[in-house]
Amino acid sequence: MVTIAAIIYEPGNSIKNKTGTWRTFRPILDNEKCVKCENCYIFCPEGAIQEDENGNFKIDYDYCKGCLICMNECPVNAITKVREEK
Amino acid sequence: MIEIRFHGRGGQGAVTAAQILAKAAFYDGKFCQAFPFFGVERRGAPVMAFTRIDDKKITLRCQIYEPDYVIVQDATLLESVNVVEGLKKDGAVVINTVKDDLDLGYKTYTIDATGIALDVLGVPIVNTAMVGAFAGVTGIVSIESVKKAILDTFKGKLGEKNAKAAEVAYNEMLKKYG
């Protein structure tokens, strides 16, 4: 991904950098427990948590860096962590 | 001369690991060098660092292109970086992974350094454990010198914990491959 001298050849290419491989812990969102308060969506520094068409929140593991802020902010503990096996 | 390349992610301590390994070699009475790869140093980006160890004075000042050993601090780097690039035929890889069946085309030593770091330090920062593991599989530096170098680099409790992490990794490697 990193080009020589970190040259950017085209705009909007940071989407190609799948930062999800950085994770040590993977957050798991339990939609049964979720009360749709949107806290995780607001606090996620990567914008990796989005609402889908059914109103459920989904974590985009391609970009989630596993910072676990969502887990910390979730008021009903619907988000748990598991260690990434790599 | 023994040349070692560290692969890590920015913030994982690859550069510090290279320095600790060099210091440990120094305490063993050898000549040494440690330096980073000068590139894009930002948190999470793939980074490299290098260590040279020799019994006589080292006059080389260039980057290491054909290392004898490669230490990989994060197995997901395999997807984005060719970690064995330029590695000598009889070289070896020490890699932090939970898998046992990695085939990199070279002699490979695996260790769950993240598990050790989480156990001992409480954070997934694996550099000291990887140096301990390297000492365990190669014997190029003694674990006493590694611990001394770690205590010298990190002050107080942090140093003690990191020295413990290195020792745990060292013993695990001895048990697994010794």
Side-chain angles (χ1 to χ4, degrees):
Chain A
M1 166 59 205
V2 177
T3 56
I4 289 173
I7 293 167
I8 295 167
Y9 292 106
E10 53 185 308
N13 64 0
S14 61
I15 202 155
K16 289 183 193 160
N17 192 7
K18 302 262 165 101
T19 49
T21 57
W22 302 5
R23 275 196 306 274
T24 303
F25 291 103
R26 167 187 289 252
I28 309 279
L29 174 59
D30 183 353
N31 279 316
E32 300 284 301
K33 280 192 193 170
C34 176
V35 293
K36 320 276 188 286
C37 70
E38 299 191 342
N39 264 11
C40 54
Y41 162 75
I42 290 162
F43 279 97
C44 178
E46 295 297 319
I49 302 180
Q50 296 290 338
E51 200 174 349
D52 68 7
E53 58 274 16
N54 306 321
N56 291 322
F57 285 88
K58 288 257 153 35
I59 301 170
D60 186 346
Y61 294 112
D62 277 352
Y63 300 102
C64 167
K65 292 173 181 168
C67 68
L68 302 181
I69 287 173
C70 52
M71 189 182 89
N72 202 36
E73 293 296 337
C74 183
V76 292
N77 296 324
I79 300 176
T80 50
K81 65 175 181 185
V82 293
R83 215 190 119 189
E84 207 65 63
E85 301 278 303
K86 58 186 185 184
Chain B
M1 178 157 49
I2 296 151
E3 296 180 310
I4 301 130
R5 182 171 65 208
F6 288 80
H7 285 276
R9 292 191 177 281
Q12 266 187 339
V15 176
T16 312
Q19 284 167 353
I20 288 169
L21 183 57
K23 266 188 195 171
F26 180 76
Y27 290 137
D28 279 344
K30 290 174 178 151
F31 288 89
C32 56
Q33 260 180 18
F35 53 96
F37 171 78
F38 296 96
V40 276
E41 295 88 358
R42 83 195 133 92
R43 212 170 176 85
V47 297
M48 289 192 282
F50 308 91
T51 303
R52 270 196 191 99
I53 299 170
D54 204 352
D55 293 327
K56 50 189 189 297
K57 193 175 173 184
I58 303 168
T59 50
L60 270 177
R61 287 291 182 272
C62 62
Q63 189 181 312
I64 293 167
Y65 295 98
E66 293 181 346
D68 300 275
Y69 295 97
V70 170
I71 300 176
V72 184
Q73 295 189 346
D74 188 333
T76 55
L77 286 167
L78 299 176
E79 292 163 26
S80 54
V81 183
N82 181 15
V83 295
V84 294
E85 191 181 9
L87 182 61
K88 288 189 183 130
K89 268 208 167 59
D90 53 351
V93 184
V94 184
I95 184 162
N96 170 24
T97 178
V98 291
K99 294 177 194 140
D100 267 329
D101 53 350
L102 277 180
D103 183 22
L104 301 169
Y106 287 91
K107 189 145 185 44
T108 306
Y109 303 99
T110 60
I111 180 163
D112 179 18
T114 308
I116 292 170
L118 287 172
D119 272 356
V120 181
L121 304 172
V123 288
I125 297 186
V126 298
N127 56 351
T128 45
M130 289 308 282
V131 175
F134 178 77
V137 285
T138 64
I140 289 167
V141 288
S142 66
I143 187 66
E144 290 74 29
S145 298
V146 169
K147 280 162 72 182
K148 195 176 164 197
I150 291 170
L151 291 171
D152 184 55
T153 308
F154 304 108
K155 300 287 169 246
K157 230 181 150 101
L158 190 62
E160 282 163 34
K161 276 185 175 175
N162 274 290
K164 178 92 200 304
E167 194 171 18
V168 170
Y170 175 83
N171 289 332
E172 191 156 305
M173 285 314 238
L174 281 190
K175 219 168 30 185
K176 206 164 161 191
Y177 297 104

